[in-house]
Amino acid sequence: MTKTLEEIKSRALDELRNLNDLNEIEAWRVGYLGRKGTVTQLLRGLSSLPIEERREAGAAANNLKSLLEQALAEKQESLRKAELDKLVQQSRLDVTLPGHHVQVGRLHPTTKILREACAVFVAMGFEVVEGPEVEWDYYNFEALNIPRNHPARDMWATLWIDYQNEAGERPMLLRTHTSPMQIRFMEKRQPPIRVVMPGKVYRHEATDATHESMFYQIEGLAVDKGISMAHLKGTLYEFARRLFGRDRKVRFRCDYFPFVEPGVDMAIDCFICQGKGCRVCGDEGWIEILGAGMVHPDVLRRVNYDPDVYTGFAFGMGLERIPMLKYGIDDIRLFYSNDLRFLEQF
Ligand code: FA5
């Protein structure tokens, strides 16, 4: 028996020494120490030995089992360590390899100019608020002194939402300007008010170099005791000076918007022709960037402000026109046609 055990021990250890793979080691374990393995069978066979031999042989067989188990554990451990070392070696940083190119995104030019414009107004004491793009007829038109069948509705080619109320009316639309935010804001707040309200607006109109069917506006509103046209002009001059520099010319002209009285529009001299007239400015020499005026007393009354106590000014600016003027972009359609050659310049 002792001879057999010695033979098994030396064969098993020899074999184990030459193994270099975890799968082979597992096969070795099953062969010697598994349920039907050589050592296990040997231990089972002890019961057939005479009692006086059994004790000694049992102790020797158990010793062999422990020895092989320990040898196995050491072998597994050394092999794992060797594999780990190999992995570390393989994954060592090779600084001579070309690096992976990481694509870094950037802000859209509209987002950039929106932030820049808002920052100018914030520095002048205005807060920034946003509102819904799907709007009710009431806020977009009625509350702004543009009742049904008023000819001024023609100024805003409207995209209506296909929804009918119980009275058979279609009162929902994509806002055509940010002016409905004037009403929404005044309904919720009391003067003094100084707020700018940027966002997307939609118009069902043919596009050209300065007109898109989806574009951004920034609405501005200031209401307080004693607000006058001088405040309106002062604020907008300052805005133009900070964004375009001192040298650009600014023009105010009378204009008509039903929700202001008096109404004006503001234009900047054309960057391409320096005011001489070209395709971009439609031969005018000026590019209009906003409509503005003193808030109409009826609008104030509608939100329960007393027009004898409070006055206010409002303006609505086309946002894309600012970078066009600032950077000399000659077609507004470039902003939303997803051409990276254009977008990557900002
Ligand atoms: C309005 O939308 C008024 N709500 C502005 C206003 C607000 C007046 C508050 C008085 C008081 P208008 O339709 O002119 O006005 O548009 C304002 C500005 O939006 C224009 O000056 C122009 O810069 C820009 N704009 C107008 N239509 C387009 C268009 N199709 N594409 C790009 N920009 C446009």
mmCIF file of all heavy atoms in Angstrom, residues 144 155-156 176-180 182 203 205-206 210-217 219-220 255 257 259-260 263-266 287-293 313-321 332, ligand 1:
data_model
loop_
_atom_site.group_PDB
_atom_site.id
_atom_site.type_symbol
_atom_site.label_atom_id
_atom_site.label_comp_id
_atom_site.label_asym_id
_atom_site.label_seq_id
_atom_site.Cartn_x
_atom_site.Cartn_y
_atom_site.Cartn_z
ATOM 1 N N LEU A 144 -53.157 90.323 -27.697
ATOM 2 C CA LEU A 144 -52.223 91.326 -28.225
ATOM 3 C C LEU A 144 -52.947 92.278 -29.188
ATOM 4 O O LEU A 144 -52.336 92.802 -30.144
ATOM 5 C CB LEU A 144 -51.052 90.631 -28.940
ATOM 6 C CG LEU A 144 -50.110 89.819 -28.022
ATOM 7 C CD1 LEU A 144 -49.183 88.932 -28.838
ATOM 8 C CD2 LEU A 144 -49.278 90.751 -27.130
ATOM 9 N N MET A 155 -49.823 89.569 -41.076
ATOM 10 C CA MET A 155 -48.388 89.792 -40.886
ATOM 11 C C MET A 155 -47.686 88.524 -40.410
ATOM 12 O O MET A 155 -46.480 88.398 -40.492
ATOM 13 C CB MET A 155 -48.154 90.891 -39.824
ATOM 14 C CG MET A 155 -48.517 92.284 -40.292
ATOM 15 S SD MET A 155 -48.750 93.413 -38.888
ATOM 16 C CE MET A 155 -47.088 93.686 -38.345
ATOM 17 N N TRP A 156 -48.459 87.605 -39.811
ATOM 18 C CA TRP A 156 -47.846 86.395 -39.269
ATOM 19 C C TRP A 156 -48.481 85.166 -39.924
ATOM 20 O O TRP A 156 -49.578 84.751 -39.550
ATOM 21 C CB TRP A 156 -48.023 86.336 -37.750
ATOM 22 C CG TRP A 156 -47.229 87.401 -37.069
ATOM 23 C CD1 TRP A 156 -45.900 87.351 -36.795
ATOM 24 C CD2 TRP A 156 -47.691 88.675 -36.601
ATOM 25 N NE1 TRP A 156 -45.503 88.518 -36.174
ATOM 26 C CE2 TRP A 156 -46.577 89.340 -36.035
ATOM 27 C CE3 TRP A 156 -48.925 89.317 -36.587
ATOM 28 C CZ2 TRP A 156 -46.665 90.611 -35.484
ATOM 29 C CZ3 TRP A 156 -49.023 90.579 -36.036
ATOM 30 C CH2 TRP A 156 -47.893 91.216 -35.496
ATOM 31 N N THR A 176 -46.176 82.329 -33.574
ATOM 32 C CA THR A 176 -45.551 82.988 -34.719
ATOM 33 C C THR A 176 -44.544 84.038 -34.259
ATOM 34 O O THR A 176 -43.798 84.588 -35.068
ATOM 35 C CB THR A 176 -46.622 83.680 -35.581
ATOM 36 O OG1 THR A 176 -47.355 84.577 -34.740
ATOM 37 C CG2 THR A 176 -47.580 82.673 -36.181
ATOM 38 N N HIS A 177 -44.589 84.354 -32.978
ATOM 39 C CA HIS A 177 -43.627 85.284 -32.389
ATOM 40 C C HIS A 177 -43.550 85.018 -30.892
ATOM 41 O O HIS A 177 -44.351 84.228 -30.361
ATOM 42 C CB HIS A 177 -43.987 86.752 -32.692
ATOM 43 C CG HIS A 177 -45.395 87.143 -32.356
ATOM 44 N ND1 HIS A 177 -45.862 88.430 -32.412
ATOM 45 C CD2 HIS A 177 -46.471 86.417 -31.933
ATOM 46 C CE1 HIS A 177 -47.123 88.479 -32.068
ATOM 47 N NE2 HIS A 177 -47.513 87.286 -31.781
ATOM 48 N N THR A 178 -42.594 85.623 -30.197
ATOM 49 C CA THR A 178 -42.480 85.391 -28.753
ATOM 50 C C THR A 178 -43.332 86.370 -27.949
ATOM 51 O O THR A 178 -43.380 86.287 -26.723
ATOM 52 C CB THR A 178 -41.003 85.477 -28.304
ATOM 53 O OG1 THR A 178 -40.377 86.584 -28.970
ATOM 54 C CG2 THR A 178 -40.252 84.195 -28.600
ATOM 55 N N SER A 179 -44.057 87.268 -28.635
ATOM 56 C CA SER A 179 -44.861 88.267 -27.913
ATOM 57 C C SER A 179 -45.932 87.680 -26.982
ATOM 58 O O SER A 179 -46.259 88.313 -25.967
ATOM 59 C CB SER A 179 -45.497 89.249 -28.901
ATOM 60 O OG SER A 179 -44.484 89.945 -29.586
ATOM 61 N N PRO A 180 -46.515 86.472 -27.279
ATOM 62 C CA PRO A 180 -47.477 85.928 -26.307
ATOM 63 C C PRO A 180 -46.884 85.797 -24.910
ATOM 64 O O PRO A 180 -47.623 85.844 -23.910
ATOM 65 C CB PRO A 180 -47.844 84.546 -26.875
ATOM 66 C CG PRO A 180 -46.980 84.309 -28.067
ATOM 67 C CD PRO A 180 -46.470 85.634 -28.499
ATOM 68 N N GLN A 182 -45.285 88.002 -23.382
ATOM 69 C CA GLN A 182 -45.561 89.252 -22.639
ATOM 70 C C GLN A 182 -46.784 89.051 -21.753
ATOM 71 O O GLN A 182 -46.776 89.365 -20.561
ATOM 72 C CB GLN A 182 -45.858 90.391 -23.610
ATOM 73 C CG GLN A 182 -44.701 90.897 -24.422
ATOM 74 C CD GLN A 182 -45.140 92.077 -25.288
ATOM 75 O OE1 GLN A 182 -45.995 92.875 -24.914
ATOM 76 N NE2 GLN A 182 -44.549 92.196 -26.465
ATOM 77 N N ARG A 203 -43.223 80.182 -38.818
ATOM 78 C CA ARG A 203 -44.073 80.908 -39.770
ATOM 79 C C ARG A 203 -44.174 80.132 -41.070
ATOM 80 O O ARG A 203 -43.169 79.605 -41.569
ATOM 81 C CB ARG A 203 -43.523 82.307 -40.036
ATOM 82 C CG ARG A 203 -43.618 83.159 -38.796
ATOM 83 C CD ARG A 203 -43.314 84.607 -39.045
ATOM 84 N NE ARG A 203 -43.197 85.291 -37.762
ATOM 85 C CZ ARG A 203 -42.879 86.565 -37.620
ATOM 86 N NH1 ARG A 203 -42.647 87.314 -38.687
ATOM 87 N NH2 ARG A 203 -42.798 87.105 -36.417
ATOM 88 N N GLU A 205 -44.010 80.505 -44.283
ATOM 89 C CA GLU A 205 -43.673 81.458 -45.341
ATOM 90 C C GLU A 205 -42.500 80.953 -46.174
ATOM 91 O O GLU A 205 -41.728 80.100 -45.743
ATOM 92 C CB GLU A 205 -43.367 82.841 -44.762
ATOM 93 C CG GLU A 205 -42.209 82.894 -43.806
ATOM 94 C CD GLU A 205 -42.056 84.294 -43.199
ATOM 95 O OE1 GLU A 205 -42.893 85.168 -43.456
ATOM 96 O OE2 GLU A 205 -41.087 84.494 -42.468
ATOM 97 N N ALA A 206 -42.404 81.490 -47.392
ATOM 98 C CA ALA A 206 -41.318 81.076 -48.282
ATOM 99 C C ALA A 206 -39.992 81.539 -47.682
ATOM 100 O O ALA A 206 -39.906 82.634 -47.121
ATOM 101 C CB ALA A 206 -41.522 81.704 -49.654
ATOM 102 N N THR A 210 -32.846 85.920 -45.827
ATOM 103 C CA THR A 210 -33.027 86.453 -44.458
ATOM 104 C C THR A 210 -34.304 85.930 -43.789
ATOM 105 O O THR A 210 -34.654 86.389 -42.699
ATOM 106 C CB THR A 210 -33.073 87.999 -44.464
ATOM 107 O OG1 THR A 210 -34.023 88.421 -45.452
ATOM 108 C CG2 THR A 210 -31.719 88.606 -44.743
ATOM 109 N N HIS A 211 -35.008 84.983 -44.428
ATOM 110 C CA HIS A 211 -36.244 84.457 -43.834
ATOM 111 C C HIS A 211 -36.237 82.932 -43.764
ATOM 112 O O HIS A 211 -36.006 82.271 -44.759
ATOM 113 C CB HIS A 211 -37.468 84.904 -44.645
ATOM 114 C CG HIS A 211 -37.725 86.367 -44.537
ATOM 115 N ND1 HIS A 211 -37.090 87.286 -45.335
ATOM 116 C CD2 HIS A 211 -38.521 87.071 -43.697
ATOM 117 C CE1 HIS A 211 -37.494 88.513 -44.998
ATOM 118 N NE2 HIS A 211 -38.361 88.405 -44.000
ATOM 119 N N GLU A 212 -36.512 82.404 -42.573
ATOM 120 C CA GLU A 212 -36.657 80.962 -42.365
ATOM 121 C C GLU A 212 -38.089 80.708 -41.903
ATOM 122 O O GLU A 212 -38.777 81.639 -41.469
ATOM 123 C CB GLU A 212 -35.697 80.498 -41.250
ATOM 124 C CG GLU A 212 -34.496 79.710 -41.729
ATOM 125 C CD GLU A 212 -34.840 78.349 -42.322
ATOM 126 O OE1 GLU A 212 -36.038 78.009 -42.432
ATOM 127 O OE2 GLU A 212 -33.903 77.625 -42.704
ATOM 128 N N SER A 213 -38.536 79.426 -41.960
ATOM 129 C CA SER A 213 -39.887 79.149 -41.451
ATOM 130 C C SER A 213 -39.836 78.776 -39.970
ATOM 131 O O SER A 213 -40.849 78.795 -39.285
ATOM 132 C CB SER A 213 -40.559 78.050 -42.258
ATOM 133 O OG SER A 213 -39.682 76.967 -42.363
ATOM 134 N N MET A 214 -38.654 78.429 -39.471
ATOM 135 C CA MET A 214 -38.472 78.238 -38.026
ATOM 136 C C MET A 214 -37.251 79.067 -37.648
ATOM 137 O O MET A 214 -36.199 78.922 -38.265
ATOM 138 C CB MET A 214 -38.221 76.753 -37.738
ATOM 139 C CG MET A 214 -38.219 76.360 -36.285
ATOM 140 S SD MET A 214 -36.749 76.763 -35.372
ATOM 141 C CE MET A 214 -35.469 75.828 -36.150
ATOM 142 N N PHE A 215 -37.405 79.957 -36.707
ATOM 143 C CA PHE A 215 -36.267 80.775 -36.286
ATOM 144 C C PHE A 215 -36.443 81.159 -34.822
ATOM 145 O O PHE A 215 -37.456 80.799 -34.204
ATOM 146 C CB PHE A 215 -36.106 82.015 -37.186
ATOM 147 C CG PHE A 215 -37.313 82.927 -37.223
ATOM 148 C CD1 PHE A 215 -37.353 84.099 -36.471
ATOM 149 C CD2 PHE A 215 -38.412 82.614 -38.011
ATOM 150 C CE1 PHE A 215 -38.464 84.940 -36.507
ATOM 151 C CE2 PHE A 215 -39.530 83.457 -38.049
ATOM 152 C CZ PHE A 215 -39.557 84.611 -37.302
ATOM 153 N N TYR A 216 -35.471 81.845 -34.273
ATOM 154 C CA TYR A 216 -35.544 82.225 -32.853
ATOM 155 C C TYR A 216 -35.841 83.711 -32.711
ATOM 156 O O TYR A 216 -35.382 84.523 -33.524
ATOM 157 C CB TYR A 216 -34.204 81.954 -32.164
ATOM 158 C CG TYR A 216 -34.019 80.540 -31.707
ATOM 159 C CD1 TYR A 216 -33.758 79.524 -32.627
ATOM 160 C CD2 TYR A 216 -34.093 80.205 -30.360
ATOM 161 C CE1 TYR A 216 -33.579 78.219 -32.206
ATOM 162 C CE2 TYR A 216 -33.912 78.900 -29.937
ATOM 163 C CZ TYR A 216 -33.655 77.915 -30.860
ATOM 164 O OH TYR A 216 -33.477 76.619 -30.439
ATOM 165 N N GLN A 217 -36.591 84.028 -31.688
ATOM 166 C CA GLN A 217 -36.753 85.439 -31.309
ATOM 167 C C GLN A 217 -36.393 85.592 -29.830
ATOM 168 O O GLN A 217 -36.456 84.637 -29.058
ATOM 169 C CB GLN A 217 -38.202 85.901 -31.507
ATOM 170 C CG GLN A 217 -38.585 86.139 -32.952
ATOM 171 C CD GLN A 217 -39.940 86.825 -33.092
ATOM 172 O OE1 GLN A 217 -40.759 86.825 -32.176
ATOM 173 N NE2 GLN A 217 -40.176 87.392 -34.262
ATOM 174 N N GLU A 219 -37.870 88.023 -26.923
ATOM 175 C CA GLU A 219 -38.827 89.056 -26.562
ATOM 176 C C GLU A 219 -38.283 89.795 -25.343
ATOM 177 O O GLU A 219 -37.709 89.168 -24.442
ATOM 178 C CB GLU A 219 -40.158 88.378 -26.185
ATOM 179 C CG GLU A 219 -41.337 89.303 -26.095
ATOM 180 C CD GLU A 219 -41.855 89.691 -27.481
ATOM 181 O OE1 GLU A 219 -41.424 89.089 -28.483
ATOM 182 O OE2 GLU A 219 -42.701 90.597 -27.545
ATOM 183 N N GLY A 220 -38.429 91.103 -25.329
ATOM 184 C CA GLY A 220 -38.015 91.871 -24.150
ATOM 185 C C GLY A 220 -39.213 92.647 -23.624
ATOM 186 O O GLY A 220 -40.064 93.094 -24.411
ATOM 187 N N ASP A 255 -43.057 101.900 -37.062
ATOM 188 C CA ASP A 255 -43.615 100.656 -37.602
ATOM 189 C C ASP A 255 -44.929 100.404 -36.887
ATOM 190 O O ASP A 255 -45.225 101.044 -35.867
ATOM 191 C CB ASP A 255 -42.626 99.504 -37.378
ATOM 192 C CG ASP A 255 -42.842 98.365 -38.371
ATOM 193 O OD1 ASP A 255 -43.906 98.351 -39.041
ATOM 194 O OD2 ASP A 255 -41.953 97.497 -38.481
ATOM 195 N N PHE A 257 -47.348 97.674 -34.968
ATOM 196 C CA PHE A 257 -47.692 96.399 -34.332
ATOM 197 C C PHE A 257 -48.875 96.714 -33.423
ATOM 198 O O PHE A 257 -48.796 97.657 -32.619
ATOM 199 C CB PHE A 257 -46.525 95.872 -33.486
ATOM 200 C CG PHE A 257 -45.266 95.633 -34.275
ATOM 201 C CD1 PHE A 257 -44.275 96.611 -34.327
ATOM 202 C CD2 PHE A 257 -45.066 94.437 -34.952
ATOM 203 C CE1 PHE A 257 -43.115 96.402 -35.051
ATOM 204 C CE2 PHE A 257 -43.898 94.229 -35.678
ATOM 205 C CZ PHE A 257 -42.916 95.206 -35.727
ATOM 206 N N PHE A 259 -50.017 95.718 -30.752
ATOM 207 C CA PHE A 259 -49.890 95.629 -29.292
ATOM 208 C C PHE A 259 -48.921 96.653 -28.710
ATOM 209 O O PHE A 259 -48.593 96.607 -27.525
ATOM 210 C CB PHE A 259 -49.479 94.206 -28.874
ATOM 211 C CG PHE A 259 -48.481 93.569 -29.811
ATOM 212 C CD1 PHE A 259 -47.124 93.600 -29.525
ATOM 213 C CD2 PHE A 259 -48.910 92.935 -30.968
ATOM 214 C CE1 PHE A 259 -46.209 93.019 -30.389
ATOM 215 C CE2 PHE A 259 -47.999 92.354 -31.842
ATOM 216 C CZ PHE A 259 -46.649 92.394 -31.557
ATOM 217 N N VAL A 260 -48.437 97.596 -29.556
ATOM 218 C CA VAL A 260 -47.615 98.702 -29.037
ATOM 219 C C VAL A 260 -48.109 100.020 -29.616
ATOM 220 O O VAL A 260 -48.686 100.066 -30.694
ATOM 221 C CB VAL A 260 -46.105 98.525 -29.377
ATOM 222 C CG1 VAL A 260 -45.480 97.421 -28.555
ATOM 223 C CG2 VAL A 260 -45.889 98.291 -30.856
ATOM 224 N N GLY A 263 -45.145 102.308 -32.305
ATOM 225 C CA GLY A 263 -44.327 101.140 -32.655
ATOM 226 C C GLY A 263 -43.137 101.556 -33.519
ATOM 227 O O GLY A 263 -43.207 102.551 -34.247
ATOM 228 N N VAL A 264 -42.054 100.804 -33.400
ATOM 229 C CA VAL A 264 -40.848 101.111 -34.202
ATOM 230 C C VAL A 264 -40.235 99.799 -34.693
ATOM 231 O O VAL A 264 -40.578 98.718 -34.202
ATOM 232 C CB VAL A 264 -39.764 101.852 -33.376
ATOM 233 C CG1 VAL A 264 -40.220 103.232 -32.982
ATOM 234 C CG2 VAL A 264 -39.360 101.042 -32.145
ATOM 235 N N ASP A 265 -39.344 99.916 -35.677
ATOM 236 C CA ASP A 265 -38.456 98.776 -35.927
ATOM 237 C C ASP A 265 -37.030 99.283 -35.886
ATOM 238 O O ASP A 265 -36.769 100.478 -36.087
ATOM 239 C CB ASP A 265 -38.797 98.030 -37.220
ATOM 240 C CG ASP A 265 -38.507 98.817 -38.482
ATOM 241 O OD1 ASP A 265 -37.391 99.355 -38.609
ATOM 242 O OD2 ASP A 265 -39.404 98.878 -39.356
ATOM 243 N N MET A 266 -36.123 98.374 -35.566
ATOM 244 C CA MET A 266 -34.720 98.768 -35.474
ATOM 245 C C MET A 266 -33.933 97.967 -36.498
ATOM 246 O O MET A 266 -34.161 96.760 -36.662
ATOM 247 C CB MET A 266 -34.190 98.485 -34.066
ATOM 248 C CG MET A 266 -32.749 98.905 -33.853
ATOM 249 S SD MET A 266 -32.284 98.647 -32.121
ATOM 250 C CE MET A 266 -30.945 97.518 -32.302
ATOM 251 N N ILE A 287 -30.483 95.993 -42.380
ATOM 252 C CA ILE A 287 -31.128 94.710 -42.064
ATOM 253 C C ILE A 287 -31.892 94.891 -40.754
ATOM 254 O O ILE A 287 -31.311 95.259 -39.727
ATOM 255 C CB ILE A 287 -30.101 93.570 -41.956
ATOM 256 C CG1 ILE A 287 -29.490 93.331 -43.352
ATOM 257 C CG2 ILE A 287 -30.763 92.292 -41.451
ATOM 258 C CD1 ILE A 287 -28.508 92.192 -43.428
ATOM 259 N N GLU A 288 -33.211 94.631 -40.851
ATOM 260 C CA GLU A 288 -34.063 94.824 -39.671
ATOM 261 C C GLU A 288 -33.811 93.699 -38.681
ATOM 262 O O GLU A 288 -33.792 92.535 -39.070
ATOM 263 C CB GLU A 288 -35.522 94.797 -40.135
ATOM 264 C CG GLU A 288 -36.507 95.060 -39.036
ATOM 265 C CD GLU A 288 -37.909 94.618 -39.442
ATOM 266 O OE1 GLU A 288 -38.373 95.038 -40.530
ATOM 267 O OE2 GLU A 288 -38.512 93.865 -38.675
ATOM 268 N N ILE A 289 -33.605 94.043 -37.419
ATOM 269 C CA ILE A 289 -33.427 92.944 -36.459
ATOM 270 C C ILE A 289 -34.550 92.860 -35.426
ATOM 271 O O ILE A 289 -34.712 91.831 -34.796
ATOM 272 C CB ILE A 289 -32.055 92.948 -35.738
ATOM 273 C CG1 ILE A 289 -31.861 94.154 -34.848
ATOM 274 C CG2 ILE A 289 -30.917 92.786 -36.700
ATOM 275 C CD1 ILE A 289 -30.752 93.880 -33.820
ATOM 276 N N LEU A 290 -35.315 93.924 -35.277
ATOM 277 C CA LEU A 290 -36.379 93.793 -34.267
ATOM 278 C C LEU A 290 -37.503 94.794 -34.490
ATOM 279 O O LEU A 290 -37.343 95.827 -35.121
ATOM 280 C CB LEU A 290 -35.802 93.959 -32.862
ATOM 281 C CG LEU A 290 -35.119 95.274 -32.458
ATOM 282 C CD1 LEU A 290 -36.129 96.289 -31.912
ATOM 283 C CD2 LEU A 290 -34.069 94.993 -31.406
ATOM 284 N N GLY A 291 -38.660 94.378 -33.931
ATOM 285 C CA GLY A 291 -39.802 95.279 -33.825
ATOM 286 C C GLY A 291 -39.939 95.642 -32.358
ATOM 287 O O GLY A 291 -39.592 94.843 -31.481
ATOM 288 N N ALA A 292 -40.444 96.845 -32.068
ATOM 289 C CA ALA A 292 -40.518 97.269 -30.666
ATOM 290 C C ALA A 292 -41.561 98.373 -30.502
ATOM 291 O O ALA A 292 -42.192 98.798 -31.476
ATOM 292 C CB ALA A 292 -39.149 97.775 -30.209
ATOM 293 N N GLY A 293 -41.730 98.820 -29.265
ATOM 294 C CA GLY A 293 -42.651 99.931 -29.033
ATOM 295 C C GLY A 293 -43.057 100.005 -27.572
ATOM 296 O O GLY A 293 -42.591 99.221 -26.742
ATOM 297 N N PHE A 313 -42.125 99.157 -22.142
ATOM 298 C CA PHE A 313 -41.714 98.958 -23.530
ATOM 299 C C PHE A 313 -41.518 97.469 -23.793
ATOM 300 O O PHE A 313 -41.297 96.687 -22.855
ATOM 301 C CB PHE A 313 -40.450 99.755 -23.893
ATOM 302 C CG PHE A 313 -39.166 99.296 -23.257
ATOM 303 C CD1 PHE A 313 -38.516 98.134 -23.696
ATOM 304 C CD2 PHE A 313 -38.557 100.048 -22.241
ATOM 305 C CE1 PHE A 313 -37.318 97.726 -23.134
ATOM 306 C CE2 PHE A 313 -37.357 99.639 -21.669
ATOM 307 C CZ PHE A 313 -36.737 98.469 -22.115
ATOM 308 N N ALA A 314 -41.627 97.093 -25.076
ATOM 309 C CA ALA A 314 -41.431 95.693 -25.462
ATOM 310 C C ALA A 314 -40.683 95.665 -26.785
ATOM 311 O O ALA A 314 -40.763 96.610 -27.570
ATOM 312 C CB ALA A 314 -42.777 94.990 -25.610
ATOM 313 N N PHE A 315 -39.948 94.603 -27.000
ATOM 314 C CA PHE A 315 -39.303 94.412 -28.308
ATOM 315 C C PHE A 315 -39.253 92.920 -28.634
ATOM 316 O O PHE A 315 -39.310 92.080 -27.733
ATOM 317 C CB PHE A 315 -37.888 95.010 -28.344
ATOM 318 C CG PHE A 315 -36.947 94.446 -27.309
ATOM 319 C CD1 PHE A 315 -36.230 93.279 -27.554
ATOM 320 C CD2 PHE A 315 -36.768 95.090 -26.084
ATOM 321 C CE1 PHE A 315 -35.374 92.763 -26.605
ATOM 322 C CE2 PHE A 315 -35.897 94.571 -25.123
ATOM 323 C CZ PHE A 315 -35.198 93.412 -25.382
ATOM 324 N N GLY A 316 -39.178 92.607 -29.929
ATOM 325 C CA GLY A 316 -39.047 91.214 -30.376
ATOM 326 C C GLY A 316 -37.969 91.167 -31.443
ATOM 327 O O GLY A 316 -38.080 91.808 -32.489
ATOM 328 N N MET A 317 -36.904 90.430 -31.135
ATOM 329 C CA MET A 317 -35.705 90.472 -31.984
ATOM 330 C C MET A 317 -35.514 89.133 -32.697
ATOM 331 O O MET A 317 -35.692 88.076 -32.093
ATOM 332 C CB MET A 317 -34.527 90.718 -31.034
ATOM 333 C CG MET A 317 -33.193 90.812 -31.679
ATOM 334 S SD MET A 317 -31.922 90.952 -30.416
ATOM 335 C CE MET A 317 -32.558 92.191 -29.308
ATOM 336 N N GLY A 318 -35.155 89.174 -33.981
ATOM 337 C CA GLY A 318 -34.828 87.937 -34.705
ATOM 338 C C GLY A 318 -33.398 87.540 -34.366
ATOM 339 O O GLY A 318 -32.454 88.263 -34.685
ATOM 340 N N LEU A 319 -33.246 86.395 -33.700
ATOM 341 C CA LEU A 319 -31.930 86.053 -33.153
ATOM 342 C C LEU A 319 -30.877 85.757 -34.231
ATOM 343 O O LEU A 319 -29.732 86.205 -34.130
ATOM 344 C CB LEU A 319 -32.062 84.834 -32.232
ATOM 345 C CG LEU A 319 -30.821 84.570 -31.405
ATOM 346 C CD1 LEU A 319 -30.697 85.586 -30.299
ATOM 347 C CD2 LEU A 319 -30.824 83.174 -30.844
ATOM 348 N N GLU A 320 -31.248 85.010 -35.275
ATOM 349 C CA GLU A 320 -30.254 84.627 -36.293
ATOM 350 C C GLU A 320 -29.698 85.843 -37.017
ATOM 351 O O GLU A 320 -28.593 85.799 -37.565
ATOM 352 C CB GLU A 320 -30.865 83.667 -37.314
ATOM 353 C CG GLU A 320 -31.221 82.289 -36.768
ATOM 354 C CD GLU A 320 -32.537 82.268 -36.036
ATOM 355 O OE1 GLU A 320 -33.171 83.336 -35.933
ATOM 356 O OE2 GLU A 320 -32.934 81.194 -35.546
ATOM 357 N N ARG A 321 -30.472 86.913 -37.040
ATOM 358 C CA ARG A 321 -29.992 88.115 -37.741
ATOM 359 C C ARG A 321 -28.742 88.681 -37.042
ATOM 360 O O ARG A 321 -27.943 89.374 -37.661
ATOM 361 C CB ARG A 321 -31.078 89.191 -37.759
ATOM 362 C CG ARG A 321 -32.380 88.723 -38.408
ATOM 363 C CD ARG A 321 -32.514 89.211 -39.821
ATOM 364 N NE ARG A 321 -33.654 88.611 -40.493
ATOM 365 C CZ ARG A 321 -34.752 89.245 -40.842
ATOM 366 N NH1 ARG A 321 -34.873 90.535 -40.561
ATOM 367 N NH2 ARG A 321 -35.722 88.630 -41.462
ATOM 368 N N ILE A 332 -29.543 82.900 -44.080
ATOM 369 C CA ILE A 332 -30.048 82.373 -42.794
ATOM 370 C C ILE A 332 -30.291 80.867 -42.864
ATOM 371 O O ILE A 332 -30.223 80.171 -41.854
ATOM 372 C CB ILE A 332 -31.354 83.113 -42.387
ATOM 373 C CG1 ILE A 332 -31.708 82.807 -40.936
ATOM 374 C CG2 ILE A 332 -32.511 82.776 -43.304
ATOM 375 C CD1 ILE A 332 -32.860 83.620 -40.378
HETATM 376 C C1 FA5 B 1 -42.757 90.503 -34.439
HETATM 377 O O1 FA5 B 1 -42.669 89.256 -34.462
HETATM 378 C C2 FA5 B 1 -43.224 91.190 -33.208
HETATM 379 N N1 FA5 B 1 -43.721 90.259 -32.258
HETATM 380 C C3 FA5 B 1 -42.066 92.019 -32.653
HETATM 381 C C4 FA5 B 1 -42.460 92.966 -31.569
HETATM 382 C C5 FA5 B 1 -42.353 92.584 -30.249
HETATM 383 C C6 FA5 B 1 -42.943 94.228 -31.880
HETATM 384 C C7 FA5 B 1 -42.691 93.460 -29.231
HETATM 385 C C8 FA5 B 1 -43.299 95.110 -30.895
HETATM 386 C C9 FA5 B 1 -43.156 94.724 -29.576
HETATM 387 P P1 FA5 B 1 -41.712 90.839 -36.809
HETATM 388 O O2 FA5 B 1 -42.638 89.936 -37.534
HETATM 389 O O3 FA5 B 1 -41.271 92.042 -37.514
HETATM 390 O O4 FA5 B 1 -42.322 91.277 -35.402
HETATM 391 O O5 FA5 B 1 -40.439 89.979 -36.382
HETATM 392 C C10 FA5 B 1 -39.465 90.496 -35.490
HETATM 393 C C11 FA5 B 1 -38.055 90.154 -35.985
HETATM 394 O O6 FA5 B 1 -37.954 88.752 -36.237
HETATM 395 C C12 FA5 B 1 -37.716 90.784 -37.332
HETATM 396 O O7 FA5 B 1 -37.218 92.065 -37.140
HETATM 397 C C13 FA5 B 1 -36.650 89.868 -37.858
HETATM 398 O O8 FA5 B 1 -35.411 90.151 -37.281
HETATM 399 C C14 FA5 B 1 -37.098 88.535 -37.340
HETATM 400 N N2 FA5 B 1 -37.826 87.773 -38.367
HETATM 401 C C15 FA5 B 1 -39.079 87.980 -38.805
HETATM 402 N N3 FA5 B 1 -39.426 87.051 -39.705
HETATM 403 C C16 FA5 B 1 -38.362 86.246 -39.857
HETATM 404 C C17 FA5 B 1 -38.086 85.067 -40.633
HETATM 405 N N4 FA5 B 1 -39.009 84.538 -41.424
HETATM 406 N N5 FA5 B 1 -36.886 84.486 -40.514
HETATM 407 C C18 FA5 B 1 -35.949 85.000 -39.670
HETATM 408 N N6 FA5 B 1 -36.140 86.094 -38.907
HETATM 409 C C19 FA5 B 1 -37.340 86.691 -38.996
#
